[in-house]
Amino acid sequence: MSAAHPVGDALLAKAADRSALFGIVGLGYVGLPLAMELVRAGYRVLGFDVNAAAVERLNRGESHIQDVPTERLARAVREKKFSATTDLRRLAEADAISICVPTPLSKTKDPDVSYVIAATESVKASLRRGQLVVLESTTYPGTTRDLMLPALAATGLTVGVDFFLAFSPERVDPGNPKYNTRNTPKVVGGITEWCRRVAVALYQPAIDSLVPVSSTEAAELVKILENTFRSVNIGLANEMAIVCDKLGVDVWEVIEAAATKPFGYMKFTPGPGVGGHCIPLDPHYLAWKMRTLNYKTRFIELAGELNAAMPEYWVDKVAARLNEAGKAVRGSGVLVLGVAYKKDIDDVRESPALDVIRLLERRGARVSYHDPFIPHLHEEGVELHSVALSPAALTAADCVVIVTDHAGVDYAAVARHAKVVVDTRHVLPRAGTPA
Ligand SMILES: NC(=O)c1ccc[n+]([C@@H]2O[C@H](COP(=O)([O-])OP(=O)(O)OC[C@H]3O[C@@H](n4cnc5c(N)ncnc54)[C@H](O)[C@@H]3O)[C@@H](O)[C@H]2O)c1
């Protein structure tokens, strides 16, 4: 390790004096906040995206990502620390390249790595001696070594000698007021020891704490373990909600009391299911990989099934509550409160609220929704506009179903005016719980 490595040493020097130019491929929820942290650390950043309209907006200093305030982006653009382009040939200019493109699932729940492949091809086309390439997108173990490395090595350049390749999963939690890209420890694994060393050195100025691991596979698995852990524990909490329901026990009372144990327990809560770009998708990347090795990841499958069944469970609850009020679902007005996939963000990807709405509409309900973060819904099979949360809207609805809780929503008004409430998030106080 201490032996001289002219190419590696040159990059370490560019990290030390911040003269390295970072290229960020994919300027979404992950890429743009990362770009801003790199700018804050003193680097210049060139952002790449295939979405020309987004690139234009970014170059005007307008942010499309809630966690990146427009003033912060505008300052970086003004000071010529950040610019964006659709011209991927300019990747040749970058000393370090972070790939932050989507990794969705196909309709059959298999990994769709087409964006990673496309980004790798772009990097390959201009790969030169002295570049670091880091994949940030969540993916199955082996992607960096088995998918990216052969493509990049086909240029004739040697990894760990001429160029460096690493995996470093992004852990950003959009809307989290406490933890952001900078203060969330960042895991880094390299194809070789020098790959890891160079990646750690280049990220170090921008991220408070780095966690080196011994391989790209270990780093890839860290991310999937984290999200599988969440999926499994949310699945358990959801199953406990069904169990408690059948036993006539308040699940929230049980969970709150269990959470007083100061060791050996971590609180997870039930809800309408899981949403977003990560928890419902990432574990399937590992499940798919293990299927290719003839191993079935049972926890992943089971948690996925339990979580995916929750919208149906809550729609059944709506039907039962309407029935108690002498009404059918068909023809009833149901106001869905909160459609983002989680609290205080403007993202509806994979949101269980969409399933709740589709299931209610399929049963003949007249569905409306209110979400201060989502003015319009144009999703597959769902075309709606957010309505104002007025006393009139609340009293007009036959049932209000709280799917996502957002700060600033007047839940006291909901409790006051709504005829029937189904509360998947335990926002309203429960009757009968001792004070
Ligand atoms: N959103 C999150 O909270 C989060 C958190 C941690 C990890 N991740 C992971 O990070 C990755 C990116 O997620 P995201 O939420 O930022 O996605 P996103 O959809 O918000 O952004 C991805 C961007 O990449 C661009 N893009 C697609 N193909 C491209 C290409 N070939 N070249 C250049 N740009 C291209 C898209 O136009 C888009 O702007 C995914 O693997 C995701 O699982 C996301």
Side-chain angles (χ1 to χ4, degrees):
M1 173 64 82
S2 51
H5 189 314
V7 182
D9 285 337
L11 273 177
L12 297 187
K14 285 183 174 190
D17 68 8
R18 311 290 190 274
S19 60
L21 175 69
F22 256 89
I24 306 287
V25 184
L27 299 168
Y29 288 91
V30 166
L32 195 61
L34 177 63
M36 291 301 106
E37 290 308 331
L38 292 164
V39 164
R40 185 194 51 81
Y43 291 115
R44 278 177 310 121
V45 177
L46 183 52
F48 295 86
D49 206 292
V50 289
N51 181 338
V55 163
E56 262 177 48
R57 276 198 305 275
L58 288 169
N59 282 330
R60 285 200 303 268
E62 294 165 20
S63 173
H64 59 285
I65 298 295
Q66 197 186 325
D67 285 348
V68 173
T70 277
E71 311 82 72
R72 185 176 187 192
L73 173 71
R75 193 170 56 243
V77 171
R78 220 172 30 246
E79 292 174 357
K80 302 204 180 320
K81 288 294 207 178
F82 175 82
S83 63
T85 178
T86 54
D87 183 1
L88 285 132
R89 287 169 306 186
R90 292 189 61 196
L91 278 167
E93 296 170 32
D95 299 295
I97 298 166
S98 303
I99 300 178
C100 311
V101 295
T103 42
L105 291 176
S106 70
K107 287 250 184 274
T108 52
K109 292 218 185 302
D110 287 342
D112 173 1
V113 285
S114 59
Y115 299 92
V116 174
I117 292 173
T120 304
E121 285 302 314
S122 299
V123 171
K124 175 185 169 183
S126 51
L127 190 70
R128 59 168 174 80
R129 208 158 183 255
Q131 281 185 316
L132 165 72
V133 182
V134 184
L135 179 63
E136 299 252 347
S137 304
T138 308
T139 184
Y140 59 83
T143 307
T144 313
R145 192 182 303 274
D146 303 339
L147 196 78
M148 293 183 71
L149 180 55
L152 300 181
T155 56
L157 296 170
T158 303
V159 70
V161 177
D162 301 314
F163 74 98
F164 304 94
L165 180 59
F167 182 83
S168 180
E170 183 50 67
R171 287 167 151 174
V172 69
D173 182 20
N176 189 321
K178 186 167 174 201
Y179 290 108
N180 50 45
T181 300
R182 177 175 50 178
N183 65 9
T184 305
K186 190 160 177 53
V187 173
V188 182
I191 294 284
T192 69
E193 224 168 308
W194 263 98
C195 292
R196 185 185 66 203
R197 188 171 175 191
V198 165
V200 166
L202 278 151
Y203 277 127
Q204 197 103 62
I207 311 286
D208 288 353
S209 165
L210 289 156
V211 184
V213 294
S214 66
S215 65
T216 49
E217 286 78 4
E220 287 159 339
L221 266 169
V222 167
K223 176 72 187 179
I224 299 212
L225 169 62
E226 291 162 9
N227 282 349
T228 301
F229 174 82
R230 285 187 60 73
S231 176
V232 165
N233 282 286
I234 294 168
L236 175 64
N238 281 332
E239 183 160 68
M240 202 47 76
I242 296 168
V243 164
C244 285
D245 195 14
K246 289 189 183 294
L247 293 172
V249 176
D250 183 344
V251 66
W252 294 95
E253 185 182 9
V254 174
I255 287 172
E256 295 302 342
T260 60
K261 187 178 179 187
F263 50 87
Y265 184 79
M266 189 180 283
K267 181 176 156 184
F268 281 84
T269 54
V274 289
H277 194 346
C278 295
I279 314 283
L281 273 53
D282 301 349
H284 290 287
Y285 269 71
L286 182 57
W288 172 86
K289 175 69 188 177
M290 297 318 295
R291 275 202 301 279
T292 70
L293 299 174
N294 266 332
Y295 182 82
K296 192 173 174 200
T297 50
R298 285 161 290 174
F299 266 122
I300 291 178
E301 309 288 342
L302 183 59
E305 276 171 36
L306 282 162
N307 293 329
M310 290 313 284
E312 188 95 48
Y313 169 83
W314 288 109
V315 168
D316 283 346
K317 279 266 163 271
V318 170
R321 298 295 312 279
L322 283 170
N323 187 51
E324 284 164 16
K327 290 177 185 153
V329 178
R330 181 163 301 281
S332 286
V334 181
L335 174 61
V336 173
L337 209 45
V339 294
Y341 81 83
K342 68 172 184 176
K343 203 177 168 57
D344 301 339
I345 63 156
D346 62 359
D347 190 352
V348 294
R349 290 180 294 180
E350 311 289 327
S351 174
L354 299 171
D355 284 330
V356 168
I357 291 173
R358 289 186 192 110
L359 289 166
L360 284 167
E361 285 187 338
R362 211 173 294 157
R363 294 195 196 186
R366 293 177 290 108
V367 182
S368 56
Y369 84 92
H370 170 78
D371 191 312
F373 290 85
I374 318 279
H376 317 287
L377 270 183
H378 301 290
E379 299 298 314
E380 211 181 310
V382 181
E383 286 290 334
L384 291 170
H385 293 272
S386 178
V387 299
L389 194 65
S390 61
L394 286 166
T395 41
D398 296 297
C399 178
V400 175
V401 48
I402 301 172
V403 177
T404 312
D405 54 318
H406 287 307
V409 171
D410 187 357
Y411 294 105
V414 177
R416 237 181 359 261
H417 298 291
K419 293 187 194 96
V420 170
V421 182
V422 171
D423 182 2
T424 74
R425 305 292 342 176
H426 186 34
V427 181
L428 305 183
R430 286 286 194 278
T433 307

